Amino acid sequence: MGTVNGLKLPASFRDRIEDIRAGRAEPVPARDAATVVVLRDHEKHGLQAFMLRRVRSMAFAPGAYVFPGGSVDPRDGEADLAWSGPSPAEWGAAFKADETLARELVCAAVRETFEETLVLLAGPTGGTVVDDTRGDDWEADRQSLLDRSQSFGGFLARRGLVLRADLLRPWAHWITPAIEPKRYDTRFFVAAMPQGQRARDVSTEADQVAWVRPAEAAERAVKGEWMMLPPTIATLAELAEFDTVADVLAAPREIVVHEPTAEIIDGEAYLVLPEGTERHYAQG
């Protein structure tokens, strides 16, 4: 596979690539993480995804447009929380993860989405969803999750809520390249925006949010107007092939692990994308 236009790395990465190849440096372990593409059907614009732009002071991907998500909290695996939908074992089969990690990933997906957008994929029963998360009491809960003074399971139990794992679908699995100083082993989910709720700009990690058509967002990234990481562009390009949220949720997915690699080609450092994903950079 050749290089991909636009993925030439800064010269500073060359030494890092050579050090890892020679065994002088070890890749940083990748932290388990979950990302959720929240989708809606817009009357005029069609299928849209919710995106946040990370503040430029962030250590990882500053200024990049991303989907809500973040690292697993060890307490996300609490086994006693109310759960509706596919079991952790079924999620584990989809993501090739053990049952404990699968539970943690689903909980992290729902928790991080709430922390960053106030969208909550949970309800009073296994067949309902909270209809509004605006208000000081919800904000207090969000803050307690952020500072880890309250576990996600504790939050759901206190409010008498059931986690709606059935509202999520597995979508992709990406691992940050070995040369990066911060690395994540990230499972991507997709979910429909619950009726009655509103996605809000509440994350201190973001300075801008947008509902955008996947094709438009991918095109902006390819043109250099919006900074994005390769997994984000690839995901948007895949979603651009669908017309509605229902189409996305019904799409069969076989989850393949994608891990870009760094190579030195003709003396220059390049990020080489996994086979089959590089085409998205040309198509947008």
Side-chain angles (χ1 to χ4, degrees):
M1 179 170 51
T3 60
V4 180
N5 188 32
L7 293 183
K8 185 176 175 182
L9 295 170
S12 58
F13 277 100
R14 180 174 170 171
D15 289 345
R16 174 74 172 161
I17 296 170
E18 291 178 338
D19 285 347
I20 289 177
R21 274 185 179 174
R24 294 188 295 267
E26 287 290 328
V28 175
R31 297 178 63 183
D32 290 308
T35 287
V36 181
V37 188
V38 180
L39 300 166
R40 74 177 185 186
D41 293 317
H42 190 276
E43 197 174 281
K44 180 180 178 182
H45 303 295
L47 180 68
Q48 292 184 317
F50 188 76
M51 303 194 73
L52 310 95
R53 187 176 70 184
R54 291 171 64 84
V55 295
R56 299 191 182 279
S57 59
M58 295 295 291
F60 183 78
Y65 277 83
V66 299
F67 307 116
S71 299
V72 163
D73 178 339
R75 296 178 299 173
D76 286 334
E78 292 176 345
D80 56 352
L81 57 80
W83 181 291
S84 176
S87 68
E90 291 175 271
W91 284 103
F95 279 129
K96 298 179 178 64
D98 64 47
E99 193 168 329
T100 298
L101 176 56
R103 181 185 294 273
E104 292 173 347
L105 290 166
V106 172
C107 289
V110 177
R111 175 181 53 75
E112 286 283 345
T113 301
F114 177 69
E115 288 177 2
E116 297 191 354
T117 70
L118 277 175
V119 172
L120 182 58
L121 302 175
T125 70
T128 58
V129 183
V130 172
D131 60 5
D132 191 357
T133 56
R134 288 169 287 188
D136 292 343
D137 57 335
W138 287 106
E139 176 59 21
D141 278 332
R142 191 181 76 85
Q143 290 295 336
S144 68
L145 289 170
L146 283 171
D147 65 22
R148 299 298 186 258
S149 62
Q150 179 176 220
S151 71
F152 183 62
F155 157 66
L156 292 180
R158 188 172 54 77
R159 282 195 172 264
L161 297 176
V162 180
L163 183 146
R164 293 290 306 278
D166 57 316
L167 298 180
L168 292 161
R169 299 288 186 276
W171 192 259
H173 184 179
W174 286 79
I175 300 175
T176 310
I179 56 166
E180 292 286 355
K182 277 183 173 286
R183 300 182 65 223
Y184 297 93
D185 187 338
T186 306
R187 271 71 165 195
F188 282 65
F189 299 78
V190 292
M193 180 72 194
Q195 190 169 3
Q197 292 188 29
R198 297 287 182 271
R200 292 176 56 195
D201 179 8
V202 292
S203 173
T204 56
E205 297 180 357
D207 60 11
Q208 194 164 315
V209 298
W211 281 103
V212 60
R213 288 189 304 108
E216 178 188 341
E219 185 178 353
R220 285 176 179 262
V222 171
K223 289 181 176 178
E225 297 172 6
W226 286 5
M227 187 229 169
M228 287 182 203
L229 298 174
T232 310
I233 299 176
T235 299
L236 288 165
E238 290 173 343
L239 292 170
E241 299 173 6
F242 299 90
D243 294 325
T244 67
V245 176
D247 291 339
V248 174
L249 298 182
R253 296 289 292 181
E254 181 182 353
I255 309 303
V256 177
V257 181
H258 296 308
E259 183 174 356
T261 58
E263 305 286 348
I264 297 175
I265 302 170
D266 296 331
E268 305 274 13
Y270 281 89
L271 188 67
V272 179
L273 294 177
E275 191 170 357
T277 65
E278 73 274 16
R279 62 189 176 87
H280 299 311
Y281 283 77
Q283 293 177 350

